[in-house]
Amino acid sequence: MSENPSTAPDRSEPRFVAACVQMRSGRDPLANRDAAVTLVREAASQGAHYVQTPEMTSLVERDKASLFANVRGQDEDVTLSALRDVARERGIVVHIGSLAVRNGDKIANRAFLIDAEGAITASYDKLHLYDVDLPNGERWRESNTYTGGACAVVAETPWAPLGIAICYDLRFPALYRALAEAGATILSAPACFTKQTGEAHWHVLHRARAIETGSFMISAAQGGRHEDGRETYGHSIIVDPWGKVLADAGGAEPGVILAEIDLARVTEARGRIPALKHARPFTVERVGRVG
């Protein structure tokens, strides 16, 4: 029997309540599963129809050997199974920002969209891998461990098409424009953003992607000092199509944020600034000589 199920609005009603679950996932997949389940249930109890969790919901681990020891195939993942049960139990849509899933001799950083019946309706493998050297000495080489995806995904929800992306994808505006041109009116970038880059760019990038496409941006995040030593920025965020921040977790502590998503704002923003319609093909010519 369902426990206090949320009643999702009919598609003809362009409003719903979205929630972001902010986490501080660690090295124990079972503890992370339990934390995610608790927070998703809390969001549903507060009236959310759609709940999003962060990138790497089930495991945040830098050590490659430990990561591989704790990662399972999609069909064996305990967090995926548990959140499918919660979606069915509460009658909500659950968007798992990503899980680490075995993919041959590497790992896929994979997002899942789960409907109110507990069925997986879409999945997406992170396209852009985070291979960077930061000024504070942090060095990341996701390509050593993870496989990059090859296909962008726009998934149907009961309210509107959702463009699914993950973390570093946020820095690639062409991806978000392509998702919007393919029909998405809600976009996402659930993340495990480093504190250093988050402080510099998290908010401005979210507002930019929303404004450029006239879409909602909804991104749950990891936050705080993790067991593997990394520090993530937090600030799970929901931004409207005009670039207004509707909800911000305000820091790095685990918790839930919610906002009403009024899809009429998409029509309004795209009507004011029809940039998606005004794009023109062009070539680039490099001129002049140096030296």
Side-chain angles (χ1 to χ4, degrees), residues 128-129 168-177 205 209 212:
H128 301 99
L129 300 181
Y168 189 44
D169 288 335
L170 181 63
R171 295 185 180 274
F172 297 84
L175 169 61
Y176 285 84
R177 184 176 187 92
L205 287 172
R209 297 297 87 85
E212 291 162 353

Side-chain angles (χ1 to χ4, degrees), residues 143-251:
S143 62
N144 290 342
T145 304
Y146 296 92
T147 58
C151 182
V153 173
V154 175
E156 290 297 325
T157 75
W159 313 282
L162 167 69
I164 302 178
I166 299 171
C167 198
Y168 189 44
D169 288 335
L170 181 63
R171 295 185 180 274
F172 297 84
L175 169 61
Y176 285 84
R177 184 176 187 92
L179 292 170
E181 288 177 339
T185 53
I186 307 166
L187 301 172
S188 63
C192 194
F193 234 69
T194 67
K195 182 180 180 183
Q196 180 183 185
T197 57
E199 288 175 341
H201 301 145
W202 176 255
H203 288 88
V204 69
L205 287 172
H206 274 85
R207 295 186 68 205
R209 297 297 87 85
I211 293 165
E212 291 162 353
T213 63
S215 306
F216 283 92
M217 279 291 299
I218 305 175
S219 297
Q222 298 279 355
R225 178 73 66 177
H226 297 261
E227 290 176 331
D228 71 347
R230 82 180 71 192
E231 191 169 7
T232 53
Y233 184 58
H235 286 273
S236 298
I237 195 169
I238 302 174
V239 184
D240 84 359
W242 201 245
K244 179 182 178 181
V245 177
L246 301 180
D248 182 332

Side-chain angles (χ1 to χ4, degrees), residues 123-161:
S123 64
Y124 163 79
D125 287 1
K126 184 178 179 180
L127 278 171
H128 301 99
L129 300 181
Y130 195 54
D131 290 358
V132 301
D133 297 287
L134 299 177
N136 67 350
E138 287 185 61
R139 186 174 187 270
W140 300 94
R141 290 293 181 274
E142 284 189 341
S143 62
N144 290 342
T145 304
Y146 296 92
T147 58
C151 182
V153 173
V154 175
E156 290 297 325
T157 75
W159 313 282

Side-chain angles (χ1 to χ4, degrees), residues 10-77:
D10 186 81
R11 178 135 196 178
S12 62
E13 172 56 56
R15 293 172 183 258
F16 67 99
V17 176
C20 291
V21 163
Q22 186 155 291
M23 297 181 66
R24 188 177 300 148
S25 299
R27 288 173 155 162
D28 181 348
L30 295 181
N32 298 330
R33 174 202 62 189
D34 293 346
V37 166
T38 296
L39 288 166
V40 171
R41 283 178 173 158
E42 179 182 331
S45 295
Q46 293 184 41
H49 306 112
Y50 161 96
V51 184
Q52 184 188 118
T53 70
E55 180 184 28
M56 290 295 149
T57 292
S58 60
L59 184 64
V60 172
E61 175 60 83
R62 295 186 70 169
D63 181 77
K64 189 172 181 178
S66 296
L67 180 65
F68 272 89
N70 282 292
V71 172
R72 302 290 180 265
Q74 178 175 319
D75 293 340
E76 302 170 310
D77 190 278

